[in-house]
Amino acid sequence: MAQKMMLYWGSGSPPCWRLMIALEEKKLQGYKHKHLSFDKKEHQCEEVKALNPRVQLPTFKHGDLVVNESFAACLYLESAFKSQGARLIPEDPAEQALVYQRMFETDNLQKKMYDVAFYEWYVPEGERLESALKRNRETLVTELKLWDGYLEKMGKGSFLAGKDFTMADVVCFPVIAYFPRFHCPKEKCPRLMEYYEMVKDRPSIKASWPPHWLENPEGPDTLKNL
């Protein structure tokens, strides 16, 4: 079945990485894939344009079905291959609700992290303000406290939505992994960093680790001043 799948992806992209983790968790190794460089704008190639009107990665095709949004693609894999590999969405409605909540809250964490880590990338030099970056940092610190509180309430050794690894972890781990890489002080999110250390060696995550992170384990220090 995996041989009928095609994934266009970019290294280090949280949306791409989460879909690759989901494929590993569902035991769908052997899918076809093409690694495209963002820096070289390879993701704007004709192959991607033909499948994805937004010209973004990941672009994912299974047979004749094209699913481009990473959340949708991950949920599709769980639905289509429910009995294969790890069960990533629990049966219990209350447990499902928490998994979905943490999944969709991930967008908040990612956006607030990007607003600090990639501030100079997104904001033209003439429009940058130290006061704006300071507000972004404060907003991110508040968000980190929220996630630390979630894990504190769950108890030591917990995953993001309980005692089991779920789709919440698939979706959110690639965002969390940016914090140690970009030198976020551990004291700003101690529970989140404990979680990172616990999950980073999971086989599905190791198998899909961004190749350029393996080549250059140290990222920029854009989160060190939180």
Side-chain angles (χ1 to χ4, degrees):
M1 188 61 70
Q3 290 80 9
K4 295 182 179 180
M5 297 178 179
M6 179 67 186
L7 172 66
Y8 298 87
W9 62 283
S11 180
S13 156
C16 294
W17 192 2
R18 66 175 58 114
L19 181 48
M20 295 170 82
I21 294 172
L23 285 161
E24 291 289 330
E25 289 288 339
K26 300 308 293 183
K27 303 299 182 189
L28 292 166
Q29 296 90 345
Y31 59 90
K32 298 173 185 175
H33 64 94
K34 183 173 281 191
H35 178 198
L36 302 173
S37 167
F38 291 112
D39 291 341
K40 297 177 183 177
K41 300 190 184 301
E42 291 176 349
H43 63 292
Q44 297 178 6
C45 67
E46 292 304 315
E47 288 177 76
V48 171
K49 287 180 179 178
L51 297 171
N52 190 337
R54 295 187 184 274
V55 196
Q56 295 174 339
L57 301 181
T59 291
F60 178 69
K61 189 171 187 285
H62 180 203
D64 295 327
L65 177 69
V66 178
V67 189
N68 292 320
E69 287 296 322
S70 64
F71 280 43
C74 287
L75 290 171
Y76 165 73
L77 291 176
E78 175 63 14
S79 178
F81 302 95
K82 186 176 291 187
S83 62
Q84 183 169 319
R87 185 68 180 270
L88 298 173
I89 302 292
E91 285 283 359
D92 181 76
E95 293 176 2
Q96 280 185 21
L98 184 57
V99 169
Y100 292 139
Q101 183 166 317
R102 294 291 177 264
M103 283 177 62
F104 294 114
E105 279 186 284
T106 298
D107 275 346
N108 294 306
L109 182 62
Q110 180 171 324
K111 181 184 184 306
K112 290 168 185 177
M113 182 268 287
Y114 276 23
D115 285 346
V116 177
F118 299 108
Y119 182 77
E120 292 187 1
W121 177 268
Y122 288 125
V123 181
E125 187 173 0
E127 298 176 20
R128 295 172 196 160
L129 295 171
E130 186 59 37
S131 59
L133 181 55
K134 180 175 181 291
R135 282 196 303 273
N136 290 353
R137 288 188 182 120
E138 291 170 350
T139 300
L140 178 56
V141 168
T142 299
E143 182 73 17
L144 287 172
K145 287 179 180 176
L146 194 64
W147 286 86
D148 249 36
Y150 292 158
L151 287 168
E152 181 72 31
K153 186 176 180 180
M154 288 286 183
K156 193 172 181 64
S158 172
F159 293 100
L160 291 178
K163 60 181 177 59
D164 297 319
F165 184 91
T166 67
M167 194 65 80
D169 304 285
V170 170
V171 163
C172 197
F173 180 84
V175 176
I176 293 170
Y178 268 85
F179 288 92
R181 178 168 174 80
F182 284 3
H183 302 272
C184 174
K186 288 185 178 181
E187 62 270 19
K188 294 296 182 180
C189 50
R191 295 290 176 266
L192 214 54
M193 290 304 94
E194 286 177 8
Y195 166 84
Y196 168 81
E197 291 295 333
M198 179 182 78
V199 178
K200 67 182 176 66
D201 290 325
R202 189 175 176 90
S204 62
I205 289 171
K206 290 180 72 175
S208 56
W209 200 263
H212 81 281
W213 288 19
L214 291 172
E215 295 169 6
N216 300 291
E218 290 290 319
D221 60 3
T222 48
L223 295 179
K224 73 173 184 179
N225 292 323
L226 282 185

